[in-house]
Every structure is written in structure tokens, then in C-alpha cells.
Amino acid sequence: MPGTVLLLAASPVGKGRLVDAASVLPVLAAVEPAVLSGTPTASVVELADPLEPQAVLTRLRAAAASPGPLTVFLTGQLQLDRRQHLPHLALARTAPATVRYTALPWHWLREELRLRPDGTTTLVADLYADQESWRHLHERPLDTGGNIAVYGRVAPPPSRRGVAQPAYMKAVATILRSGHRPPVAQLHEQALARLAVEEGAGSRGAPAGPGLVLAAGRPAAADPHAAIAAWVESGRHDDADALAARWEQDAVREHGAASEEALHWSEVRADLAMFAGDAARSCRTWLAVAATRLAMGQSAGAPQVEAAVDRAHHQWGQIREAERARELGPLLAELRDRVPGQQQGALDHVRRQLRQLQTQD
């Protein structure tokens, strides 16, 4: 069947722009449609810095209705709306105060692609997140549904002043301009490798590292822990957490949020936060795991409950920001009252530390 390609590049006009998304379109447009699609023939729809979310939705809906393979090349930036804190793709008129009305809700994209047959849809994305969205994505990774292949990256806000370049997507386009489209997973890896070389050479406008890597394919090994461990050892903490988050989402979807499968991945993410030096996030996650286990009816003396509270307590002691320690301290004290653990005086220790924190600025 003929394929369909949607080239969508969007970012705000003005000082809110993080990435010059549309700059990649001439490079992508120079690639033969059949190479972009990976099919013998294909039609291409291009949207450059669109103004209205409804207009984007109309084009997206038409592309999603095509019977053949669909490939979406998406370049832009993510922002949260202030009311519901949901991720949106910022458009030309988007400003922080108008995200809800001028940007494309991410769940619109997910819903339009959700009903397509499995194995017919590929999303290649190069996205930048503002500070608020970047923090949000570490707690709730982008949900693209389970029926589409997703490859790309979400980069943090550029550290330098000025506007970043969509380096990942330009790497994808450069590879495709050779006239050959490798399997999309291989294309993704080649683009990441090219990106790493360019950054190592001091490429301007690129963030340090690929950011949060989006990859639909899981590691070849049945157990993903090996890939996670390798990423931790190489310092790619965000990538490790993103992979664990996807497994956690799958476990929640298949078994429920209070299942052992889902709790296991919550515990993995708590450890990953510790390895990344984020004691507050690790503490908060362990507290949530302990509270969930107690709500499930597990006893206060159950080894897994005690271990979760002990680890939350340890991570709380590693938090250097007094405000965040004060925020989590009462939650820890409440759990310590219910789960005293094997170490005598643990609850008294929390209360003493809380009293000291109240006197700090």
C-alpha cells in the first residue's frame, strides 16, 4: 500500500521559542517520499509552524485515516497547561499563559493514532521541554499508546541563551538523504550516534546528551534490567529512568497500579533516583510504595513494607534542601508511626530532625 508521511514542525514565535523546529523541514523535504515512508510510493503532508491546534488536528486526523503505513516526523517543544498540567505541543501563538487554548494537547495526537492497526504507525520525534515540562516528564513519561512505534528524544531546555537546533531530527534527515531508509530502530540508533559525535565536536545549540530517549523497542534481552544497569553505569540516568517508567506503565496497564509487577518497577525507579542523586524523588517514591503496600492489606511488619519505609527514611536523610525535607518529613513520620521497623528510635529520629528543620531558613 502507498504510505503517508506527516512532517510537523512547530514552536512559538518570539522569546518563548526553545527550538527552531521548522529549520529541519527543508532537509526532510529533500528526501524522497518513498524513503521517508519506507514504502514504494508515498504522499507527504507538511505543516510548518502552524497557528491553530484545530488545524493541526484536522491534518492529523486525515493522515491517521489513511489505510497504508503512516510515518509522523514531529519536531517541536512541550509545555504544560496551567490548569491540568497536561503536556501540549506548543504552536506558533503559544505562550505560557495560553497553552490550553493555543497548543496541541499531546493526548489528541495519541487518541488520533490509537485506533490505527498495530504495526502501521511510526512516530519519529525530536522534542524540547521547558523547565516545568522537563520535571513533569520524569514523573510521567509521554504516553503514546501501545500500538505505535516511537523513536526519538526529548531534550531539556537549552542551557545556552538563544534557540536550539533540532539536532536529532537533522541527523535522521541527513541519514535518509542517502536514499536508503534502514529499519527505523537502526535509523534511530544511527541518529543518536551521529548526535553524540556532533556534540563531542562542540556542536552549537545541542544539549548535553540526547535527553530522554524515546524507543518503542525494548532491549533484545527478555530482562530490561541489563540495559538499565548499563545506562546507569554510563551516567545516562534519564534514559534508564525513562525505560523503567515505560515498563512501569505497561505493568500498571496489564496488572493494575497496586500489583507486584507495577510496585517492582516503582522500586526500581526509586533506586534509579538515588543513583542519579535525587534523594527527594527517591524518598517520595519509596513512601508511595510503602503506602500502597499498606493499603493493599500488607502488615506493618512485612519485610517489603519495612524495607520501603527504611529506604525512604535513609533517602530523606540525604536531602540537602530544607524545604523539600520539611515537605516529606511529616509523611515519613506518619509511616514511621505505623511501621517502626527493626531499628529502635527511628520515629524519634524523624521527629528530632523535623524540629531542627523548622528552625532553618
Side-chain angles (χ1 to χ4, degrees):
M1 274 190 178
T4 300
V5 177
L6 176 60
L7 306 179
L8 173 54
S11 54
V13 174
K15 64 180 182 179
R17 173 173 289 200
L18 300 178
V19 57
D20 184 8
S23 66
V24 76
L25 287 179
V27 190
L28 283 170
V31 179
E32 289 292 328
V35 176
L36 288 172
S37 178
T39 56
T41 60
S43 59
V44 178
V45 178
E46 181 177 316
L47 288 175
D49 283 330
L51 301 177
E52 301 292 341
Q54 288 293 340
V56 178
L57 179 63
T58 299
R59 294 293 187 91
L60 178 63
R61 185 167 292 166
S66 62
L70 170 64
T71 305
V72 179
F73 293 89
L74 176 60
T75 309
Q77 70 186 61
L78 296 173
Q79 294 180 222
L80 299 181
D81 72 278
R82 290 181 172 177
R83 177 175 295 183
Q84 296 179 303
H85 300 284
L86 295 175
H88 288 59
L89 179 70
L91 303 182
R93 293 174 177 169
T94 301
T98 66
V99 169
R100 192 160 177 256
Y101 308 101
T102 61
L104 181 78
W106 184 262
H107 62 268
W108 285 12
L109 184 146
R110 182 193 66 218
E111 287 303 307
E112 291 304 318
L113 300 180
R114 180 175 62 87
L115 299 180
R116 286 183 53 82
D118 289 352
T120 64
T121 311
T122 302
L123 172 63
V124 180
D126 189 0
L127 300 168
Y128 280 72
D130 64 7
Q131 288 290 356
E132 187 179 11
S133 299
W134 184 247
R135 290 191 296 268
H136 177 85
L137 290 175
H138 283 77
E139 298 291 335
R140 298 181 181 180
L142 281 177
D143 180 9
T144 54
N147 65 316
I148 65 176
V150 184
Y151 294 92
R153 61 91 176 259
V154 181
S159 57
R160 302 180 181 89
R161 291 185 178 181
V163 178
Q165 295 297 310
Y168 170 85
M169 193 64 77
K170 286 189 174 180
V172 168
T174 300
I175 295 167
L176 293 177
R177 286 188 67 180
S178 69
H180 169 67
R181 171 173 162 162
V184 67
Q186 184 179 339
L187 173 65
H188 169 69
E189 292 299 330
Q190 290 177 3
L192 288 179
R194 183 182 289 266
L195 186 61
V197 170
E198 290 178 354
E199 289 174 350
S203 176
R204 294 184 61 188
L212 296 172
V213 174
L214 306 173
R218 290 173 176 167
D223 186 354
H225 297 82
I228 290 172
W231 276 339
V232 170
E233 289 176 7
S234 63
R236 293 172 61 179
H237 298 289
D238 289 342
D239 297 339
D241 183 67
L243 178 58
R246 286 197 294 275
W247 280 83
E248 182 183 35
Q249 285 183 334
D250 288 347
V252 169
R253 189 180 304 114
E254 295 176 17
H255 306 286
S259 64
E260 283 297 330
E261 291 85 354
L263 286 172
H264 165 75
W265 286 108
S266 295
E267 292 172 349
V268 169
R269 296 189 70 195
D271 279 338
L272 290 175
M274 175 190 67
F275 292 135
D278 192 341
R281 180 157 58 96
S282 181
C283 174
R284 184 180 293 109
T285 306
W286 281 119
L287 289 173
V289 168
T292 301
R293 290 192 178 280
L294 289 170
M296 290 167 57
Q298 295 185 16
S299 70
Q304 289 174 309
V305 175
E306 286 190 348
V309 178
D310 286 345
R311 290 172 180 175
H313 192 160
H314 174 75
Q315 287 300 294
W316 184 66
Q318 304 302 309
I319 299 173
R320 296 292 171 257
E321 303 89 348
E323 182 178 352
R324 301 187 77 181
R326 281 195 294 265
E327 173 194 345
L328 294 172
L331 301 175
L332 176 60
E334 181 181 346
L335 276 175
R336 265 301 181 209
D337 192 32
R338 298 177 62 186
V339 187
Q342 304 300 312
Q343 185 176 354
Q344 292 186 354
L347 177 58
D348 291 338
H349 174 264
V350 175
R351 288 171 173 167
R352 284 196 305 273
Q353 291 296 108
L354 270 176
R355 286 195 293 269
Q356 292 181 13
L357 286 167
Q358 299 305 326
T359 66
Q360 296 181 20
D361 294 331

